[in-house]
Amino acid sequence: MEILGSSESLRPTAQPVATSLSRAAIFLVVTIKHGTGSRTAIRSFCADFAALVRSVGFRELEGSLSCVVGFGSEAWDHLFGQPRPKELHKFREIRAGERHAVSTPGDMLFHIRAQRMDLCFELATRIMARLGPAVSPVDEVHGFRFFDSRDLIGFVDGTENPKGQAALDATIILDEDPAFAAGSYVIVQKYLHNLTEWNKLPTEKQEHIVGRTKLTDVELEDSFKPTYAHNALTKIVEDGKEVQILRDNMPFGQAGQGEFGTYFIGYSRSPRTIEQMLQNMFVGKPPGNYDRLLDFSRAVTGNLFFVPSATFLEKVRAE
């Protein structure tokens, strides 16, 4: 897709942020080794990134393979210097009682999506082989679509996602930062669930916490919905209009180890929208009226990345 920037002649092309939901995904976060040659190796990789994705995706065209790469604040300075995206910064941790939105290491994010996990795995393998000693992996999560797009807590996830042009409007930067038009911000968090305790709750109580019915996925009426409901606290309204983000959350887990979780990933034109959602969830709105999901789910990672346009990546030179 092409997005107009400050000059129509530039027409930067966005990375595939607003792509359709997939059946499988890999979320790969790495840190950069700041030794000899890492900057050159990664800059060279950026220019070849699109061709690498195409080469793997061409092996199974119906697999709809795509990949988005984002960069953390310190990594941006190390790799690209000035100018820099005006709202890029390190993920801001939040502490409120026992609730903690942690900030964890991460210089680059690869969000790999396809209809088949083998395509995701093959691309992740090639990315790591290409980057070699320039990076160290710090987190890798293999996500899967769970039945009718449900989370492991049993509720449909992503119902209110914007679609089509609305998804582009929610995620792709335009004139607010002309130097980085067609870019986007993305925040990721890995949540681990205590399903044993969650499943002890009556369904009606679970529905009050989430703000939707469990079976039919119908939003509870405002007159009936608690103010602490998840979908009440994560609805951001400015000037009378809801500010949307694009979520592509995925369940993950290891049944034998009793690990069950959700990988949250949210794209937006400004990180402030998701940061406000997290503030409402962890601290509460008003303070103390927090998201009761956090009594059963804890964040174990937290990162903010900037996703530059595909045009930006193609123009990067090794130096």
Side-chain angles (χ1 to χ4, degrees):
M1 64 192 126
E2 291 185 339
I3 308 296
L4 293 183
S6 57
S7 171
E8 291 193 6
S9 63
L10 297 178
R11 298 181 66 86
T13 301
Q15 292 193 57
V17 166
T19 192
S20 301
L21 297 180
S22 61
R23 300 296 306 176
I26 291 180
F27 307 92
L28 177 62
V29 177
V30 303
T31 53
I32 297 172
K33 295 180 181 178
H34 292 276
T36 304
S38 64
R39 182 175 183 272
T40 298
I42 295 172
R43 286 178 61 93
S44 176
F45 167 84
C46 287
D48 297 336
F49 172 65
L52 180 61
V53 176
R54 286 195 299 270
S55 69
V56 177
F58 188 74
R59 295 167 63 177
E60 179 51 74
L61 295 178
E62 294 182 358
S64 304
L65 178 68
S66 69
C67 183
V68 170
V69 59
F71 301 87
S73 181
E74 292 181 2
W76 187 276
D77 293 338
H78 175 64
L79 295 171
F80 310 120
Q82 296 294 330
R84 71 195 314 274
K86 66 180 182 181
E87 293 193 83
L88 179 58
H89 55 260
K90 186 178 180 181
F91 180 86
R92 293 167 179 158
E93 69 172 348
I94 302 172
R95 289 183 179 271
E98 296 181 353
R99 301 176 300 281
H100 187 196
V102 297
S103 177
T104 50
D107 290 325
M108 297 174 68
L109 165 73
F110 295 96
H111 181 198
I112 306 172
R113 287 175 277 189
Q115 300 306 320
R116 291 169 32 179
M117 179 55 75
D118 58 343
L119 285 169
C120 295
F121 184 80
E122 175 68 7
L123 181 56
T125 300
R126 292 202 179 195
I127 287 171
M128 291 305 296
R130 174 63 190 273
L131 291 173
V135 301
S136 295
V138 293
D139 192 41
E140 179 177 344
V141 173
H142 293 208
F144 53 88
R145 192 63 59 194
F146 189 58
F147 293 106
D148 50 338
S149 297
R150 292 182 183 266
D151 191 281
L152 296 182
I153 65 172
F155 286 78
V156 175
D157 198 357
T159 302
E160 299 300 327
N161 256 349
K163 297 176 177 61
Q165 186 60 45
L168 297 176
D169 293 341
T171 57
I172 304 301
I173 294 168
L174 296 175
D175 294 337
E176 65 267 33
D177 194 359
F180 294 101
S184 186
Y185 292 91
V186 60
I187 285 179
V188 296
Q189 291 176 293
K190 181 165 73 172
Y191 285 88
L192 296 180
H193 305 320
N194 184 341
L195 288 189
T196 300
E197 293 302 313
W198 173 258
N199 289 331
K200 290 179 181 179
L201 294 180
T203 297
E204 184 178 11
K205 180 62 176 176
Q206 292 180 355
E207 291 175 339
H208 286 174
I209 291 174
V210 174
R212 308 187 73 86
T213 59
K214 191 170 187 177
L215 178 62
T216 58
D217 188 38
V218 175
E219 184 172 359
L220 301 183
E221 295 182 9
D222 289 341
S223 60
F224 184 67
K225 183 194 304 180
T227 56
Y228 60 73
H230 175 73
N231 63 357
L233 292 172
T234 56
K235 183 176 182 179
I236 305 300
V237 178
E238 294 181 359
D239 300 323
K241 183 180 180 181
E242 182 178 359
V243 182
Q244 293 186 303
I245 68 169
L246 183 68
R247 301 169 177 84
D248 200 357
N249 305 347
M250 279 279 194
F252 68 90
Q254 299 183 73
Q257 297 185 25
E259 179 184 88
F260 308 95
T262 297
Y263 201 94
F264 166 78
I265 179 165
Y267 291 96
S268 60
R269 288 173 69 163
S270 167
R272 289 179 284 112
T273 304
I274 301 176
E275 288 169 343
Q276 185 60 60
M277 291 179 177
L278 296 178
Q279 184 75 11
N280 293 351
M281 289 172 58
F282 283 80
V283 176
K285 183 182 180 183
N289 190 52
Y290 67 92
D291 187 342
R292 300 306 194 269
L293 268 178
L294 298 177
D295 291 339
F296 306 90
S297 185
R298 61 187 177 93
V300 295
T301 69
N303 300 98
L304 165 64
F305 301 96
F306 180 72
V307 177
S309 69
T311 304
F312 177 94
L313 293 175
E314 291 169 358
K315 293 180 177 179
V316 173
R317 295 294 175 262
E319 296 183 351

